[in-house]
Amino acid sequence: MINIMKNLPLYSFIFLLSACSNINASENTDTGEGDFDILLSNLLNVNQHRHTYIDEQGNKQANSLGRFKELERVYIKNIEPDLKGDEFSLKRLKTVMFFSFYADEKKSAAFQEYLATDLMPIYTHNQISFMKTLKELPFLIPSNCDRLNAFFGFEGKNDNKKQGFIEKNQNIFTKHLTNEQAKLCISQFGNQP
């Protein structure tokens, strides 16, 4: 298996390139390019000077709350559909899916919890583009399929619906992903939220 951390800068660059190159100029979206910069900067721990303050002794200190608030602002801005029928533009969808990757890599409990409830409705209304994005950017598979799984049983809800979801969606996974990718996604449903 490919070492994600070793190739993280390459994957991140591919994600950004792919996200930006697949955007149609006529799409109705308000996701700014700054959103990708914020996500990528926080994932790679660069540009952290934006999240500092000077304490009473004149020392520069990290402002983790400021960093979280900036990420949360981007998340809230992108978690709502921007197209008719609760559908997401490809750019917005990739932003949300990259948040799953970010939450997994950074072990961010807050974003993992947000996505445990927010990602399933997005998948439900955007199944084909969601699957195409996973196929195009396979490093997103484990984190996004894990967050879909987290929907079942999170806060004691939907626990009895997991098997039905897997049976109903297994054909979608195998139709749009390679066999290996589909198996990887489905394997995430054995984990607990």
Side-chain angles (χ1 to χ4, degrees):
M1 178 170 252
I2 296 173
N3 182 342
I4 296 289
M5 292 309 292
K6 179 180 173 187
N7 296 308
L8 186 57
L10 175 62
Y11 289 140
S12 299
F13 176 74
I14 291 169
F15 163 76
L16 288 174
L17 182 62
S18 177
C20 295
S21 66
N22 287 322
I23 298 166
N24 189 335
S26 65
E27 278 186 308
N28 179 19
T29 181
D30 63 359
T31 303
E33 295 303 319
D35 294 350
F36 293 116
D37 178 55
I38 290 167
L39 264 168
L40 188 58
S41 292
N42 282 284
L43 181 66
L44 299 176
N45 292 323
V46 296
N47 298 327
Q48 295 304 301
H49 63 277
R50 296 186 317 206
H51 310 293
T52 59
Y53 67 94
I54 305 298
D55 67 14
E56 292 174 1
Q57 288 78 32
N59 299 317
K60 188 183 263 188
Q61 300 290 333
N63 184 353
S64 57
L65 180 60
R67 181 176 63 215
F68 176 77
K69 289 293 187 185
E70 182 180 49
L71 283 166
E72 188 177 49
R73 179 188 55 76
V74 172
Y75 182 84
I76 290 168
K77 178 180 172 184
N78 287 284
I79 201 65
E80 295 297 325
D82 58 340
L83 301 175
K84 294 186 295 187
D86 289 332
E87 291 185 18
F88 280 61
S89 64
L90 192 55
K91 184 176 183 180
R92 185 166 285 196
L93 180 63
K94 286 180 179 182
T95 301
V96 172
M97 292 174 77
F98 195 69
F99 258 106
S100 287
F101 181 75
Y102 172 87
D104 185 52
E105 289 295 314
K106 293 296 189 175
K107 308 296 182 236
S108 171
F111 288 114
Q112 286 177 343
E113 286 187 16
Y114 292 164
L115 289 157
T117 56
D118 293 342
L119 196 61
M120 184 60 76
I122 294 169
Y123 167 75
T124 301
H125 293 285
N126 300 274
Q127 287 179 344
I128 304 305
S129 54
F130 196 99
M131 288 292 115
K132 286 181 178 179
T133 300
L134 290 181
K135 186 172 185 176
E136 178 185 352
L137 302 169
F139 72 95
L140 295 176
I141 293 172
S143 56
N144 279 275
C145 293
D146 175 73
R147 289 300 85 201
L148 289 175
N149 175 56
F151 176 79
F152 302 104
F154 182 70
E155 295 182 343
K157 299 176 186 171
N158 304 306
D159 198 28
N160 60 342
K161 298 179 182 179
K162 184 196 273 194
Q163 191 58 39
F165 173 84
I166 294 169
E167 290 170 6
K168 182 179 177 184
N169 288 274
Q170 191 164 4
N171 289 336
I172 293 169
F173 296 162
T174 55
K175 179 179 179 182
H176 296 285
L177 301 174
T178 68
N179 283 340
E180 186 177 303
Q181 291 171 339
K183 286 178 186 175
L184 178 59
C185 183
I186 292 168
S187 74
Q188 303 305 309
F189 289 86
N191 302 333
Q192 296 300 316

